[in-house]
Amino acid sequence: MFKVNRRDFMKLTGGAAVVGSVLGMPHIARAAGQKVVVIGGGPGGATAAKYLKMGNPGLDVTLIESGDSYVACFLSNEVLSGERTLESLTVGFDGLKKYGITVVKDTASAIDPAAKKVTTSGGKTFDYDRCVVSPGVEFNYEAVVGYSEAASHKAPHAWKAGPQTLLLRKQLEDMKDGGTFVIVAPPNPFRCPPGPYERAAQVAMYFKHKKPKSKIIILDPKDDFAKKGLFIKAWTSLYGYGTPDSMIKWVSGADGGKVDKIDMETLTVSAQTEDFKADVLNVIPPQKAGHIAHVADLVNEKGWCSVNKKTFESSKHPGVHIIGDASDATTMPKSAYSASSQAKVCAAAIIDLLAGKEPGDPSYVNTCYSIAGPDYGFSVAGVYTYDAEKNEIAGVKGAGGLTPVDASPEMLKREVGYAHSWLANIVADSWK
Amino acid sequence: MKIKMSLMALLGGMVFGGAALAEPTPAMLANACAGCHGTNGLSVGPTSPIISGMASEYFVAAMAAYKKGEWPSTIMGRIAKGYSDEQIKAMGDFFAKQPFVRAAQKNDAAKAKTGAKLHEEYCEKCHEKGGSAGEDAGVLAGQWMPYLEHAMEDYTSGKRPMTKKMQKQVDQLVQDHKHAGVEALVNFYGSAK
Ligand SMILES: Cc1cc2nc3c(=O)[nH]c(=O)nc-3n(C[C@H](O)[C@H](O)[C@H](O)COP(=O)(O)OP(=O)(O)OC[C@H]3O[C@@H](n4cnc5c(N)ncnc54)[C@H](O)[C@@H]3O)c2cc1C
């Protein structure tokens, strides 16, 4: 063990070229010059690029990302409650450049797996030996009758953080006390399974202090959702759930929560048994893999990318790997933690494959925190291993699971602190 | 390879759900922790503990204690159960080689000064060099303060077991200086630069 203070550490790691070796990663000179192109700079793509370079500084890694910076969805429900700013969720790509990654601001418009080339809408082409695709999700707007991309400017989805998040926050701030906020929850599978229910809790926290007569209605096609027991308990103890004055009402699929159509003129949502008039309407549409995955013929009939779960290589096009929300690795929830964990597995596999070696055995982790109120947080965790027989990511038996429902207030409070610390660490681990 | 794997199975803790026995590299196992503990275990805070530079023996003891539920935890109990004893040892050796960089954090200078004296009196005997040595305990100097507060809260409330000798010193500290003593110590460890 050796200890250094921060200043010495900076001196020690001063040159980008030595970062990998100082941090204890193997240096494989043999693969020098081999090219990896990463599409998408979210937690999946950014982490893949960084860990590729850390694992083998000799690789030539290019990251293509449409945005100037990345705005994280995770913890963006706290922007809706006014607990944090969108700036606190925004991170640039300069940190990645320090590792020697070439960051290109452009949009990948095509992948040619035969010629091993990526083309961008800016008119550039990039050759690759291996390509990593982490484009996140795209919405099936039209699956909700009456809703559309244009309609999202009036009834935001706020399921990609940025202007949509700020628009929804503004609408909630402008809403009169006594108004109704309706959330239309999506069918499985979708990005961040506990997200809509955390959103209800965060908005309830804001209403409780600022607009106590207001209501929140969640219309859901499902009868079950992630961390349901924990959410119901939190809603009950914080927001009167289960009483006639409950601030939150959850209408399950069995109770007619599936939405038939939306009248955008009046913000009236017709669910199966009842119409709901919203003052503020949040529609989270059904989802599929990001656009480029469709253009590049990487998707299956369900709209997600089938991959080898050990390497994340496409089952359709060799040499192309898909990670994060867009992949069909659905035994892991679609979360930032999953995307980043999959990125590390994928990066290690690519390093082995490019060195002509059989990829080593993977190990994956997911965690997702939810914050339901002041000092009230809880989590789900999973440790996973690769099941070669089924080509599936399998949870290690006896491990993982939820915060116990009888967790003490002290532990729930600690989980809020650890959730915020998770944000800082995953951002640093992916982009810095 | 085969002999090693059956030995691992014999040693117990192999709890893979139906999957074939897998032997990921130490870095593969350890990198999955970085989302919470930071790249190579160097947490940027403000609450999750730094685990880089941790002595392997202490790491193994900590993971075993989480696994068995002997130490209170919000989440580590659930995570530690995902790894065999061999895998835990491999991660321990990996993290021990990573540099521990003291956290830069706000602390109360007056409290830290009191804490320095209290540390000499009650804790230095085991947590040597102002809490910066950590062969059989964690490194305290430069660890994130909220984490240390949680650890101290768990000790003083009886939820986390201590060796009899540490118990004696902690009890004495609390008797002599109440919670302010604990706070001073945490500020002292947080002030290490
Ligand atoms: C409200 C909410 C709360 C959440 N909370 C949590 C949480 O607490 N914990 C958690 O772990 N997860 C959480 N998530 C989920 C998390 O945000 C996603 O799972 C994660 O962002 C997926 O990462 P990704 O890399 O797959 O995709 P994304 O994060 O969507 O990143 C994709 C990137 O690729 C870029 N891109 C796409 N196509 C192209 C192209 N053709 N060319 C160039 N660039 C392109 C995009 O601009 C984007 O930057 C939450 C999500 C929401 C909506």
Side-chain angles (χ1 to χ4, degrees):
Chain A
M1 174 169 39
F2 70 101
K3 301 163 206 79
V4 282
N5 65 28
R6 235 166 242 276
R7 201 176 327 112
D8 290 344
F9 183 66
M10 291 324 250
K11 264 190 242 150
L12 217 58
T13 58
V18 298
V19 166
S21 50
V22 166
L23 297 181
M25 308 301 289
H27 181 105
I28 306 159
R30 187 173 141 200
Q34 287 174 305
K35 290 190 174 73
V36 183
V37 172
V38 181
I39 301 173
T47 308
K50 172 171 160 178
Y51 276 77
L52 277 162
K53 257 322 218 189
M54 272 174 55
N56 182 358
L59 290 177
D60 181 346
V61 179
T62 302
L63 175 71
I64 305 174
E65 161 61 47
S66 309
D68 285 314
S69 53
Y70 180 77
V71 187
C73 282
F74 25 110
L75 289 176
S76 69
N77 284 329
E78 285 193 331
V79 176
L80 301 180
S81 56
E83 296 286 305
R84 73 164 57 241
T85 62
L86 203 59
E87 288 73 54
S88 73
L89 296 173
T90 306
V91 57
F93 297 104
D94 285 352
L96 292 176
K97 292 177 192 160
K98 280 188 313 202
Y99 292 87
I101 296 158
T102 308
V103 180
V104 176
K105 189 194 175 249
D106 207 338
T107 300
S109 51
I111 304 170
D112 181 340
K116 296 194 163 184
K117 264 186 209 315
V118 173
T119 312
T120 66
S121 55
K124 296 195 200 85
T125 54
F126 297 87
D127 295 330
Y128 66 77
D129 294 291
R130 294 265 160 188
C131 179
V132 179
V133 186
S134 188
V137 295
E138 179 176 304
F139 301 115
N140 272 326
Y141 291 101
E142 275 69 30
V144 186
V145 177
Y147 196 62
S148 63
E149 181 164 15
S152 73
H153 298 292
K154 188 173 177 194
H157 52 73
W159 218 242
K160 287 190 184 179
Q164 281 274 305
T165 317
L166 295 176
L167 176 62
L168 186 53
R169 169 66 185 160
K170 171 126 195 1
Q171 291 181 347
L172 291 166
E173 280 184 291
D174 292 346
M175 191 185 88
K176 64 175 191 293
D177 188 12
T180 302
F181 172 46
V182 176
I183 300 174
V184 177
N188 291 326
F190 64 101
R191 146 181 295 186
C192 195
Y197 316 95
E198 180 192 49
R199 176 165 288 180
Q202 282 286 326
V203 173
M205 176 163 75
Y206 166 64
F207 283 172
K208 195 171 164 176
H209 297 291
K210 297 289 167 73
K211 301 170 192 215
K213 289 190 275 224
S214 310
K215 298 280 181 220
I216 300 163
I217 297 168
I218 310 166
L219 298 174
D220 209 327
K222 308 181 291 296
D223 292 331
D224 200 2
F225 58 85
K227 307 180 188 167
K228 185 174 164 197
L230 287 160
F231 274 112
I232 301 273
K233 187 159 186 223
W235 292 345
T236 305
S237 60
L238 300 169
Y239 311 116
Y241 189 76
T243 67
D245 314 319
S246 176
M247 188 164 258
I248 298 173
K249 180 175 170 178
W250 173 63
V251 187
S252 69
D255 289 339
K258 188 173 179 302
V259 168
D260 288 331
K261 65 175 190 337
I262 296 174
D263 178 1
M264 280 304 298
E265 208 54 51
T266 59
L267 293 189
T268 303
V269 184
S270 302
Q272 285 188 329
T273 48
E274 200 181 331
D275 284 359
F276 296 87
K277 165 99 182 60
D279 293 290
V280 176
L281 176 60
N282 170 214
V283 181
I284 307 166
Q287 292 154 35
K288 56 187 177 187
H291 185 66
I292 183 70
H294 295 264
V295 175
D297 181 38
L298 295 168
V299 297
N300 60 26
E301 67 293 347
K302 290 181 181 142
W304 304 100
C305 304
S306 302
V307 294
N308 174 324
K309 307 297 186 302
K310 186 178 184 186
T311 60
F312 292 90
E313 187 161 3
S314 167
S315 349
K316 287 179 122 177
H317 295 295
V320 181
H321 301 244
I322 306 99
I323 53 174
D325 285 356
S327 86
D328 74 338
T330 32
T331 40
M332 295 176 82
K334 293 191 187 299
S335 73
Y337 208 115
S338 292
S340 136
S341 177
Q342 292 167 8
K344 292 168 189 175
V345 170
C346 177
I350 286 179
I351 288 170
D352 284 342
L353 287 165
L354 288 177
K357 291 195 301 193
E358 171 68 19
D361 286 317
S363 173
Y364 328 69
V365 166
N366 172 57
T367 301
C368 184
Y369 284 103
S370 299
I371 304 176
D375 299 337
Y376 202 117
F378 41 80
S379 57
V380 64
V383 179
Y384 305 84
T385 176
Y386 178 61
D387 181 342
E389 241 164 68
K390 295 189 195 137
N391 181 34
E392 244 340 318
I393 297 172
V396 176
K397 246 191 215 147
L402 300 164
T403 299
V405 210
D406 59 355
S408 67
E410 165 69 16
M411 288 316 219
L412 296 174
K413 182 178 174 185
R414 282 187 193 179
E415 290 223 74
V416 174
Y418 285 128
H420 291 154
S421 196
W422 165 79
L423 172 69
N425 277 299
I426 193 143
V427 165
D429 188 39
S430 304
W431 290 278
K432 291 179 185 169
Chain B
M1 181 76 167
K2 252 194 194 132
I3 295 167
K4 194 171 163 206
M5 294 219 289
S6 53
L7 184 68
M8 276 170 62
L10 264 176
L11 285 171
M14 301 302 290
V15 282
F16 297 109
L21 284 186
E23 281 198 277
T25 63
M28 170 63 70
L29 293 164
N31 287 344
C33 318
C36 290
H37 288 290
T39 305
N40 292 318
L42 185 56
S43 169
V44 300
T47 312
S48 308
I50 298 169
I51 59 172
S52 56
M54 182 179 266
S56 189
E57 301 76 40
Y58 175 67
F59 179 94
V60 168
M63 293 294 278
Y66 284 133
K67 214 167 159 176
K68 290 188 219 135
E70 288 169 1
W71 286 8
S73 71
T74 54
I75 204 161
M76 280 310 296
R78 287 176 270 156
I79 289 173
K81 289 192 189 88
Y83 301 94
S84 69
D85 296 345
E86 285 277 323
Q87 291 174 327
I88 288 174
K89 175 77 173 65
M91 285 193 277
D93 292 344
F94 176 92
F95 284 116
K97 286 189 214 116
Q98 313 304 322
F100 177 99
V101 183
R102 290 171 177 175
Q105 55 193 326
K106 271 200 205 114
N107 60 84
D108 183 315
K111 284 180 186 160
K113 214 173 142 201
T114 313
K117 288 198 205 103
L118 296 177
H119 175 82
E120 266 314 312
E121 190 179 344
Y122 299 92
C123 323
E124 171 68 22
K125 218 167 122 197
C126 301
H127 297 284
E128 290 167 347
K129 297 185 204 144
S132 62
E135 289 308 318
D136 53 0
V139 176
L140 307 183
Q143 180 59 281
W144 290 104
M145 287 160 60
Y147 171 74
L148 292 174
E149 275 166 29
H150 294 165
M152 291 310 292
E153 157 73 23
D154 290 340
Y155 284 132
T156 54
S157 64
K159 290 195 190 88
R160 178 168 163 179
M162 284 178 268
T163 61
K164 276 208 187 77
K165 281 186 189 153
M166 176 167 158
Q167 176 99 51
K168 211 174 129 213
Q169 294 300 85
V170 170
D171 286 352
Q172 195 62 49
L173 169 85
V174 173
Q175 199 182 328
D176 299 345
H177 302 277
K178 308 279 173 302
H179 183 67
V182 173
E183 222 185 309
L185 278 162
V186 167
N187 275 276
F188 167 61
Y189 301 131
S191 73
K193 291 227 167 50

